[in-house]
Amino acid sequence: MTSKTVAELLSQDVTLQDVSIKGWVRTFRAKRFIALNDGSTINNIQCVVDFENFDEAILKRITTGAAIHVKGELVESQGKGQSVEIVVKTLDILGDSDPETYPIQPKKHSFEFLRENAHLRTRTNTFSAVMRLRSSLSFAIHKYFNENGFNYMHTPIVTGSDAEGAGEMFKVTTLEAKNPPLNEDGTVNYKEDFFGKETNLTVSGQLEAETYAMSLGKVYTFGPTFRAENSNTTRHLAEFWMIEPEVAFMDLAGNMDLAEDFMKSVLSYILENNKEDLEFLDNRLQKEEEKLPQAQRSDMSLIEKIKFVVDNNFKRVSYTEAIDILRNCKPNKKKKFNYLINEWGADLQSEHERFLVEKHFKCPVILFDYPANIKAFYMRLNEPDAEGRETVRAMDILFPGIGEMVGGSQREERLEVLKEKMKALNIDEEELWWYLDLRKYGTAVHSGFGLGFERLVMFATGMSNIRDVIPYPRTPQNAEF
Ligand code: 4AD
Ligand code: MG
């Protein structure tokens, strides 16, 4: 007799004399029907106990959350809702679960409550489905890049540079906070720190990925990144996972093509391979929406939204066009935006991004050619436009319900232009000497982007809070588990 998973047993179309299965009890009904789940699928397998001939002491220990080992016969089910079930011959309790204290009872729990019990929340249908999808998407991402000739690169987690130049970094130090060694002028002497210099957790692997793109051609990273920004929103984490492809000899148009093809490919993968989990989450959302007034319900279900992205072209719109749309739109004219758009050069807030994707275009939008002074130092400068305005070859991909999903650009490959930009922004050339070297030796056009993995998981699962798509979220004032 071999042990099988619930997923394997449920996909079985034959009956089996002897099966053995281990899992956690979801419910035990009428002293007879155990709904058993082992995490391999959203579905439970029903195990039927002949309670009249069963040890009463054991029956009492079949409680929600208990781990059990069942041996029995797999038969066609008599009841509704499942094709097969197990007639239990023997049942061992592997681990008890006290019903008085076990937090995950068979009833609806709020996501807030489940966040506080994040170590147990994957024992619910919603979170097990979300985390299986997260795993599946990770695999699809590696598969896509592997099949398209990319090398997977591991960029350092501890770095001395600030890739985004935004200063939102977590320091890494072994110096004592209370009593650090000081220089003569009273500043901290980092020469005595572990690495002999100031270091921090990476905010992006991009700069190092560029070095490998300029030798291996096509590379990507997929790793944790850290931002010490004090944004307590449903879309920001202090620790999140980012996918960053970087490609030599590719310009901004190629970058957009790559990003679009990549996202469509990984979303197709889950449509194909995670049907049951997606259907479960789709139903869950529809039930949630039924509680809302008609006007607030979305026109498409979760699966329809994913299919829509896979089947339709992303809309490509320049920043300048977007500003024209925003300047003349109703919420701007009626002063409904918190930040009114008056002139070219304004940075876009999430209210503007949402208006563009959700109200105006109603599809994913790639915004490109942003004003130079609201974007990072490494982006390729365009020729000034007819009105003398300076833009860079940046692109952001905005998604309905999510906002910014991707940020990327063609990189500045010209040494002198890059140096001037760094000077203007007070970025130390000595710190990025190796980055500048790329422009000295065999420089070439190259581009890449970063996709926030959790935002992709949010879109794919319909979850509305980013804290619910990563196992253990790190946010301001919170690093439990
Ligand atoms: O736009 P960002 O800051 O771009 C970069 O870091 C570039 N170096 C990427 C590149 O060109 N290789 O971040 C990229 C994406 C965002 O579009 C967003 O999806 C996600 O990372 N992101 C976050 N996700 C969760 N929590 C946060 N605090 C995030 N900050 C950015
Ligand atoms: Mg960005």
Side-chain angles (χ1 to χ4, degrees):
M1 183 184 340
T2 51
S3 257
K4 288 217 154 64
T5 64
V6 172
E8 286 167 332
L9 288 182
L10 291 178
S11 62
Q12 201 91 43
D13 49 12
V14 290
T15 55
L16 292 170
Q17 276 296 310
D18 290 304
V19 293
S20 158
I21 185 119
K22 293 171 187 166
W24 294 272
V25 175
R26 283 292 176 83
T27 55
F28 185 33
R29 188 165 50 84
K31 271 178 132 181
R32 194 170 176 81
F33 303 107
I34 304 169
L36 193 68
N37 191 283
D38 65 354
S40 59
T41 154
I42 190 85
N43 299 305
N44 304 324
I45 194 156
Q46 176 156 286
C47 305
V48 186
V49 187
D50 177 11
F51 64 90
E52 277 150 342
N53 298 305
F54 226 81
D55 182 353
E56 187 69 27
I58 295 218
L59 286 178
K60 277 207 180 111
R61 293 168 64 195
I62 306 175
T63 55
T64 297
I68 62 172
H69 181 187
V70 168
K71 289 183 190 169
E73 190 178 348
L74 188 73
V75 300
E76 253 177 66
S77 177
Q78 306 299 308
K80 275 199 298 186
Q82 65 273 323
S83 57
V84 289
E85 62 189 19
I86 297 173
V87 176
V88 177
K89 286 183 198 153
T90 67
L91 188 153
D92 292 319
I93 305 283
L94 303 175
D96 289 286
S97 174
D98 182 352
E100 295 297 314
T101 56
Y102 183 55
I104 313 294
Q105 289 302 316
K107 61 163 199 175
K108 210 170 150 52
H109 293 291
S110 73
F111 287 165
E112 289 76 17
F113 172 82
L114 290 172
R115 240 169 261 150
E116 286 164 15
N117 290 280
H119 60 308
L120 296 170
R121 68 179 172 171
T122 34
R123 296 197 189 179
T124 66
N125 285 333
T126 299
F127 284 92
S128 64
V130 167
M131 293 308 163
R132 273 189 300 270
L133 275 159
R134 183 179 166 108
S135 170
S136 202
L137 277 167
S138 305
F139 175 73
I141 287 163
H142 287 299
K143 181 171 178 287
Y144 177 87
F145 286 121
N146 187 269
E147 286 172 357
N148 285 281
F150 283 72
N151 287 294
Y152 179 30
M153 174 194 181
H154 298 115
T155 48
I157 308 239
V158 176
T159 83
S161 53
D162 176 4
E164 289 303 296
E168 292 166 333
M169 299 176 299
F170 290 100
K171 280 208 169 111
V172 174
T173 178
T174 53
L175 296 179
E176 272 184 56
K178 269 192 195 149
N179 197 13
L182 298 179
N183 294 312
E184 273 175 14
D185 63 0
T187 55
V188 176
N189 181 4
Y190 286 102
K191 287 208 181 80
E192 287 190 30
D193 202 351
F194 188 91
F195 296 107
K197 63 187 284 192
E198 270 190 273
T199 51
N200 50 272
L201 295 178
T202 186
V203 295
S204 158
Q206 178 197 321
L207 304 191
E208 289 91 351
E210 280 186 54
T211 67
Y212 269 41
M214 296 309 282
S215 51
L216 300 181
K218 293 199 225 176
V219 299
Y220 74 103
T221 72
F222 185 176
T225 45
F226 307 86
R227 305 248 168 129
E229 53 188 335
N230 204 353
S231 314
N232 235 322
T233 80
T234 53
R235 301 181 310 126
H236 288 89
L237 291 166
E239 175 181 287
F240 65 99
W241 287 64
M242 186 150 56
I243 297 108
E244 296 185 275
E246 192 71 33
V247 181
F249 315 116
M250 185 175 77
D251 64 9
L252 187 65
N255 206 15
M256 293 186 206
D257 293 342
L258 173 66
E260 187 169 342
D261 187 56
F262 163 64
M263 293 175 80
K264 286 178 170 171
S265 164
V266 299
L267 290 171
S268 307
Y269 181 88
I270 56 163
L271 286 174
E272 197 57 37
N273 292 279
N274 296 74
K275 285 202 177 89
E276 289 175 333
D277 285 329
L278 284 174
E279 273 160 20
F280 173 83
L281 293 169
D282 192 300
N283 282 331
R284 187 194 82 77
L285 273 181
Q286 286 185 30
K287 277 189 210 125
E288 288 289 304
E289 292 219 336
E290 279 164 18
K291 295 180 200 153
L292 298 174
Q294 191 75 41
Q296 287 174 34
R297 298 184 199 164
S298 46
D299 328 331
M300 283 188 257
S301 74
L302 174 66
I303 293 175
E304 283 166 349
K305 281 182 196 165
I306 300 173
K307 284 194 173 141
F308 182 88
V309 169
V310 169
D311 294 336
N312 290 281
N313 290 337
F314 295 8
K315 184 91 187 150
R316 300 182 186 193
V317 184
S318 74
Y319 167 89
T320 303
E321 289 169 77
I323 285 291
D324 279 341
I325 294 166
L326 290 168
R327 216 180 340 200
N328 297 312
C329 75
K330 247 193 201 164
N332 199 54
K333 291 197 154 155
K334 295 199 162 166
K335 300 198 171 14
K336 289 273 158 62
F337 284 147
N338 289 322
Y339 296 85
L340 295 179
I341 299 283
N342 295 316
E343 54 194 300
W344 194 95
D347 203 354
L348 300 185
Q349 307 296 324
S350 68
E351 56 180 345
H352 308 125
E353 297 178 342
R354 296 193 92 131
F355 175 83
L356 289 171
V357 284
E358 284 159 26
K359 297 280 181 322
H360 191 83
F361 291 109
K362 298 188 197 295
C363 71
V365 173
I366 310 183
L367 285 185
F368 63 92
D369 283 354
Y370 280 77
N373 62 3
I374 59 171
K375 288 289 182 187
F377 73 95
Y378 49 71
M379 297 186 180
R380 176 65 157 77
L381 194 64
N382 283 312
E383 289 300 310
D385 71 4
E387 293 170 47
R389 299 178 298 205
E390 293 213 310
T391 57
V392 284
R393 281 180 208 167
M395 66 168 194
D396 275 7
I397 305 186
L398 313 177
F399 259 57
I402 307 288
E404 182 188 331
M405 179 85 87
V406 165
S409 67
Q410 186 176 319
R411 318 304 188 189
E412 184 55 77
E413 84 283 14
R414 298 164 298 180
L415 181 64
E416 289 313 315
V417 182
L418 184 59
K419 272 186 172 173
E420 240 171 73
K421 190 65 172 285
M422 286 169 60
K423 204 165 152 194
L425 292 172
N426 263 327
I427 299 170
D428 194 355
E429 269 186 37
E430 263 157 50
E431 223 166 73
L432 288 180
W433 62 274
W434 49 274
Y435 190 69
L436 291 168
D437 261 8
L438 294 179
R439 278 78 183 164
K440 276 189 211 157
Y441 308 116
T443 192
V445 165
H446 63 286
S447 304
F449 64 82
L451 179 143
F453 184 50
E454 283 73 22
R455 295 196 183 166
L456 179 68
V457 182
M458 284 174 81
F459 178 75
T461 58
M463 299 298 278
S464 54
N465 193 321
I466 200 164
R467 294 166 178 80
D468 295 332
V469 299
I470 186 164
Y472 298 107
R474 270 75 180 100
T475 50
Q477 299 298 311
N478 169 44
E480 192 66 33
F481 304 102

